Amino acid sequence: MSAAPMVVSPAPLLERLPLDLRDAVLGLLPESLRWLASGLITILVLLAVFGLLFAYLTLAERKLLGRVQNRPGPNRTGWFGLLQPFADAVKALTKEDVVPRAADQVLHYLAPVVLVALSLMGFAVIPFGRLLVPVELDAAVLYFFAAGAATELAVFMAGWASRNKYSLLAAMRALAQLISYELPLLLSFVPVIMLAGTLSTTGIVAAQDGWRFGFIPHWHILTPWGFAGFVIFMIAAFAESNRSPFDLPEAESELIAGHLTEYSGFKYALFFMAEYFGMCALSAMAVTLFLGGWRAPLPFLEFIPSYLWFGLKLITLLVGFIWVRATMPRLRIDQLTRLAWKFLVPLSLINLGTAAFWSLTTTWTGPLYLARWAVALAIVIIPFVTLGRQLSAGNGPRTYRYAS
Amino acid sequence: MSVSDLTPLSSPAGAQVRAVHDEFHGDLLEVSMGPHHPSTHGVFRMIVTLDGETIVKLKPVFGYLHRNHEKLGENTTYLASMPYTDRLDYLNSMTNNWAYAVAVEKLAGLAVPERAEYVRVILAEMTRLLNHTCLAGFLMQDCGCMGTPLMYAFREREKILDLFEALSGSRMMCNYQRFGGCRVDPSPEWIAGVRQLVEAYGPFLDEFEALLSGNEIIMARTQGVGRLAPELAVSAGVTGPVLRATGVAHDLRKVDAYGVYPKFDFRVPLGDHGDTYDRYMIRILEMRESISILRQALAALPGGPIMDPKAKLRGFRPKAGEAYGRIEGPKGEIGFYLISDGGPNPYRYRVRPPSFINLTILEDMCLGHTVADAVIILGSVDIVLGEVDR
């Protein structure tokens, strides 16, 4: 939201509504306080919206997991369990906060706070709608991933400070995972920056403007390099947000609760909040980088306010996160690092080449246009198949014999 | 390959490993997993010594569930021990009952009517389905699936338990077999229920396998993990699916041909690698064979009495002697060894628990693998602590 309180925009009423509401509130305040109040309102709205999204995401996750697993999920608190998140919050707040005597008291306390703070920072630069950008930053993408990478340090803090062997193992895993997955995560969107020519998130959304043949949007995911980048980005995002199948630091069946073993009460809830915030932030970034940000998927749907489209895309990705969690087993730490270094990093490097080819051949038309697609697809698919084969070499379905 | 073809092999476990405190290499990490760890399948404890995440030493600790089972057996009458056998492997009370009944019948020289033999086979194969389904679910849970396979498995288990309850009055502690037959005669409605279950089981297995058996991550996690050499398996006395996964054709249903098993046409699946994936797949394949046995048994179920009319349950005093009765339980050879001195109680009562003996090779399978692997290797061995500790 730009600093100037009164924006004269040609946008329709619904599109302008959040800004108009803010301006109405600001109008009640004296002129000298407006700049401060504007910033605070933005922060409060972000906290409220994503706080509520977090609350109902936990419910949605439990409901969806229940649906997949043949059970109803929470349905006792309110209609369809709609009050469950609040019941959980009350429970978390009233629980005793146990800190192990041997733990590093300061770090143990600090870890969840730092984690939540860092995972919230990413939201500042996401363009949630045509007019809704909390902070306009030139190096927005860089800032976002710097804040995101720092969350893993908080996980390490939690693991180290708990003075528990399971937590320590989890901390070790968290760092190994951070080092492995930060690289493919960053490399996967470098093509986007190359082609958009900017690190600003608004600039990246602006680069996905317009329609091919009048109805196919110019989203990055609808190009060969963009699709490959999106897939790599999402895999790395699963690892970055410690979600199944990469929930190794928290591996319940191996490390009890990993870095969360010695946490209870509200601190435990904070860790969960941070996990969901991280998931939301990374999904929001994926929407911005690859899925056209707040843009509508078809020209005639543009009358729907942009922030609703953004929300819809965000929720689709979040449901994807939950669905994968319901179906996938967990990888082992060495397999996880192998997947990162031997598969995702080479693929994302090759993807840079694909993107370069794509940007050099923008002038190709007619049959050359088809050739452009064919070549780009080949550069994406052939390494994917060969590297994938190598990765799972030696493993495969088996046939069994029977005793005579 | 059969048991006699193999030469014994000494265990690689117990080899010297470096000291936990080592000034030059740095200390190793000793982690006590259990007895309240989420994936030790009960109150089992492993003291693992880790170099990074690699296991260099693993010491199993058990006995937390010890309840003097064998001594109790020597101080109660033969019949009074029957309900206690339910509590051994509490997932498979039907096969525990059967093995104990076989031992006592051998001791007392009792005959079993044919209908009872058929019912026993039906119940044993249902138990096998129950056990293997649960195991597959637990194993996938250990692999990190968020409960989905476990829930699917428990949905099917529930159907079998309902049938057990309808027949014996109890879901898990069935106490159904008697010396010389079975306690109650199954009704035609019950038989129809089993038929319905059997017909629905194949599609369930197909669904389960479509979700898991070909999963890339499952294969990466389980193939080549926890390899067990057939020689070691045989010298350790391992039985059941764990042994057959190493490629040794040893199934008591074929070897002993007890009961009416010779009348049924079924195959014994064998693995070639002896790893965790083989142990999982052997169980899936065994379930498919069990379905086929159940179909045949239900089709050929004869009429007649369910109990030997000459069998006398009260004041039961077998003549002095000894007997060992064993059957192929879902987890392996479950056997009971009894010595009678002619009194109302056995003079010696001994259980051969498959879980406990299969567990002895745990360290050999886990060395060199990671903590995450140890959990699934333990899961694939399939233990129930009620039987391990007795």
Side-chain angles (χ1 to χ4, degrees):
Chain A
M1 287 160 223
S2 58
M6 300 301 286
V7 179
V8 185
S9 76
L13 177 70
L14 276 175
E15 190 71 61
R16 258 190 359 246
L17 195 63
L19 288 186
D20 288 349
L21 283 176
R22 182 198 59 177
D23 291 342
V25 174
L26 286 183
L28 302 174
L29 294 167
E31 187 80 45
S32 54
L33 282 177
R34 281 189 188 165
W35 64 273
L36 187 65
S38 166
L40 282 178
I41 286 174
T42 312
I43 292 173
L44 281 178
V45 166
L46 273 182
L47 280 179
V49 168
F50 280 94
L52 212 65
L53 183 65
F54 154 69
Y56 279 98
L57 204 57
T58 55
L59 181 68
E61 169 145 32
R62 291 169 69 179
K63 280 279 186 195
L64 217 72
L65 282 181
R67 183 76 197 82
V68 173
Q69 296 170 358
N70 269 308
R71 54 189 179 84
N75 63 357
R76 299 285 119 177
T77 330
W79 310 272
F80 309 105
L82 278 177
L83 294 176
Q84 187 68 37
F86 302 103
D88 284 342
V90 170
K91 187 193 79 171
L93 280 168
T94 50
K95 258 185 152 178
E96 186 190 356
D97 177 32
V98 184
V99 182
R101 197 179 298 156
D104 185 325
Q105 307 288 332
V106 179
L107 275 186
H108 189 269
Y109 181 84
L110 219 54
V113 180
V114 171
L115 189 60
V116 170
L118 284 172
S119 51
L120 274 174
M121 278 165 69
F123 291 121
V125 292
I126 306 283
F128 295 103
R130 195 189 296 273
L131 306 170
L132 304 176
V133 192
V135 178
E136 190 74 65
L137 206 64
D138 280 342
V141 177
L142 199 65
Y143 161 83
F144 179 90
F145 287 101
T151 57
E152 214 73 16
L153 286 177
V155 171
F156 180 73
M157 264 163 74
W160 179 256
S162 296
R163 193 71 68 94
N164 175 308
K165 286 170 180 174
Y166 293 109
S167 304
L168 184 65
L169 280 173
M172 208 164 77
R173 286 178 173 189
L175 277 193
Q177 200 164 319
L178 165 78
I179 294 166
S180 306
Y181 278 87
E182 208 53 36
L183 202 55
L185 186 72
L186 296 178
L187 282 174
S188 65
F189 65 81
V190 169
V192 175
I193 294 166
M194 268 165 60
L195 268 79
T198 172
L199 272 170
S200 133
T201 41
T202 32
I204 287 166
V205 176
Q208 301 180 65
D209 193 13
W211 310 95
R212 186 181 298 138
F213 310 128
F215 67 98
I216 301 176
H218 265 302
W219 298 355
H220 288 143
I221 193 179
L222 297 176
T223 56
W225 61 268
F227 184 72
F230 176 72
V231 171
I232 296 168
F233 184 92
M234 285 315 284
I235 294 174
F238 274 96
E240 179 83 7
S241 53
N242 292 337
R243 291 281 300 186
S244 175
F246 304 108
D247 54 344
L248 285 134
E250 203 203 308
E252 197 220 331
S253 60
E254 298 150 23
L255 302 182
I256 308 197
H259 59 286
L260 304 176
T261 309
E262 297 290 4
Y263 280 93
S264 56
F266 197 61
K267 286 183 193 162
Y268 186 78
L270 283 184
F271 274 103
F272 263 91
M273 201 185 265
E275 178 185 325
Y276 282 87
F277 282 156
M279 206 163 90
C280 290
L282 280 164
S283 304
M285 200 35 139
V287 169
T288 306
L289 289 172
F290 297 102
L291 297 177
W294 40 262
R295 291 182 185 285
L298 288 167
F300 65 87
L301 290 172
E302 274 179 326
F303 69 92
I304 296 172
S306 56
Y307 46 85
L308 289 185
W309 280 120
F310 187 89
L312 201 66
K313 290 175 190 174
L314 181 68
I315 286 167
T316 312
L317 286 187
L318 291 175
V319 168
F321 268 90
I322 295 170
W323 197 340
V324 167
R325 182 166 182 224
T327 4
M328 285 286 166
R330 190 185 307 119
L331 278 169
R332 209 168 58 206
I333 186 76
D334 57 313
Q335 291 163 347
L336 177 117
T337 43
R338 200 184 315 142
L339 178 72
W341 291 105
K342 292 192 172 170
F343 188 67
L344 295 180
V345 170
L347 275 188
S348 42
L349 285 173
I350 291 167
N351 204 29
L352 289 182
T354 321
F357 169 78
W358 194 258
S359 73
L360 287 178
T361 51
T362 39
T363 50
W364 290 11
T365 47
L368 274 179
Y369 184 75
L370 290 179
R372 182 189 184 212
W373 271 87
V375 171
L377 280 175
I379 310 178
V380 168
I381 291 166
I382 293 170
F384 175 83
V385 171
T386 38
L387 283 173
R389 285 240 173 98
Q390 223 164 34
L391 199 68
S392 56
N395 294 333
R398 292 175 179 169
T399 51
Y400 286 85
R401 63 199 168 85
Y402 291 88
S404 48
Chain B
M1 211 171 356
S2 77
V3 175
S4 52
D5 301 338
L6 300 161
T7 49
L9 184 82
S10 65
S11 144
Q16 281 295 308
V17 293
R18 70 181 233 234
V20 172
H21 297 290
D22 182 334
E23 295 212 342
F24 183 69
H25 293 99
D27 289 356
L28 297 174
L29 184 68
E30 261 191 339
V31 182
S32 164
M33 293 176 80
H36 48 233
H37 188 280
S39 352
T40 49
H41 298 245
V43 281
F44 178 60
R45 180 174 172 210
M46 300 186 275
I47 300 178
V48 287
T49 308
L50 301 177
D51 184 2
E53 269 209 46
T54 313
I55 295 170
V56 292
K57 198 173 162 204
L58 186 149
K59 190 179 154 206
V61 183
F62 30 73
Y64 296 99
L65 207 60
H66 180 67
R67 56 204 184 281
N68 257 330
H69 180 83
E70 291 179 2
K71 196 67 194 166
L72 281 173
E74 288 163 19
N75 287 296
T76 46
T77 60
Y78 287 90
L79 182 61
S81 274
M82 184 61 88
Y84 283 127
T85 61
D86 291 337
R87 276 87 179 158
L88 279 174
D89 175 355
Y90 40 76
L91 288 177
N92 308 325
S93 60
M94 287 291 188
T95 47
N96 296 344
N97 288 172
W98 189 8
Y100 180 57
V102 164
V104 177
E105 280 154 10
K106 250 190 193 172
L107 191 66
L110 292 170
V112 183
E114 202 181 10
R115 182 172 171 84
E117 288 284 18
Y118 269 82
V119 171
R120 283 177 176 186
V121 166
I122 290 171
L123 290 171
E125 293 310 319
M126 280 166 76
T127 307
R128 206 178 307 281
L129 288 179
L130 167 78
N131 179 72
H132 288 358
T133 310
C134 286
L135 173 105
F138 286 135
L139 182 61
M140 292 306 142
Q141 182 81 357
D142 291 345
C143 281
C145 295
M146 259 305 299
T148 308
L150 188 66
M151 285 291 170
Y152 285 16
F154 268 51
R155 180 187 61 196
E156 300 308 308
R157 169 182 186 256
E158 224 35 52
K159 293 176 189 162
I160 300 177
L161 289 183
D162 283 349
L163 285 167
F164 280 1
E165 188 179 16
L167 184 64
S168 72
S170 176
R171 283 152 50 84
M172 291 171 80
M173 304 294 129
C174 296
N175 181 21
Y176 178 69
Q177 314 284 356
R178 288 290 177 268
F179 321 130
C182 305
R183 185 151 56 86
V184 274
D185 200 0
S187 63
E189 295 79 42
W190 189 83
I191 300 289
V194 178
R195 221 168 248 138
Q196 213 174 354
L197 173 92
V198 170
E199 292 319 312
Y201 225 83
F204 157 68
L205 282 182
D206 294 339
E207 182 196 26
F208 198 76
E209 279 214 90
L211 178 63
L212 297 162
S213 296
N215 185 303
E216 194 81 19
I217 301 179
I218 294 283
M219 287 197 284
R221 282 297 301 275
T222 55
Q223 292 191 346
V225 169
R227 264 177 211 276
L228 177 61
E231 292 83 2
L232 179 61
V234 169
S235 20
V238 170
T239 48
V242 181
L243 177 67
R244 291 192 284 276
T246 65
V248 181
H250 182 76
D251 186 329
L252 291 181
R253 291 176 293 177
K254 294 280 188 195
V255 174
D256 279 10
Y258 59 91
V260 283
Y261 274 115
K263 292 185 181 168
F264 302 125
D265 176 31
F266 66 99
R267 303 173 295 172
V268 178
L270 297 177
D272 286 322
H273 304 79
D275 56 12
T276 307
Y277 188 77
D278 272 4
R279 286 194 280 277
Y280 159 75
M281 279 306 290
I282 292 294
R283 283 173 174 116
I284 298 280
L285 296 172
E286 272 186 16
M287 278 197 266
R288 296 200 185 272
E289 295 304 316
S290 287
I291 293 171
S292 131
I293 296 176
L294 276 170
R295 277 210 187 100
Q296 297 169 46
L298 287 169
L301 182 67
I306 192 86
M307 273 290 279
D308 183 5
K310 279 176 291 188
K312 192 173 85 160
L313 291 180
R314 299 204 182 274
F316 180 72
R317 280 164 191 268
K319 58 182 185 304
E322 57 180 314
Y324 177 65
R326 61 176 187 177
I327 62 162
E328 180 74 27
K331 294 181 163 63
E333 174 185 333
I334 166 113
F336 287 82
Y337 176 61
L338 299 166
I339 301 180
S340 164
D341 56 1
N345 312 337
Y347 172 74
R348 177 80 175 97
Y349 168 95
R350 157 88 187 143
V351 188
R352 187 226 184 262
S355 296
F356 173 63
I357 293 170
N358 290 357
L359 193 58
T360 52
I361 34 89
L362 183 67
E363 180 174 16
D364 302 271
M365 294 200 283
C366 288
L367 287 187
H369 291 299
T370 62
V371 186
D373 291 332
V375 166
I376 58 169
I377 292 169
L378 178 69
S380 72
V381 173
D382 190 8
I383 57 165
V384 158
L385 266 294
E387 191 177 66
V388 174
D389 291 344
R390 298 192 298 296

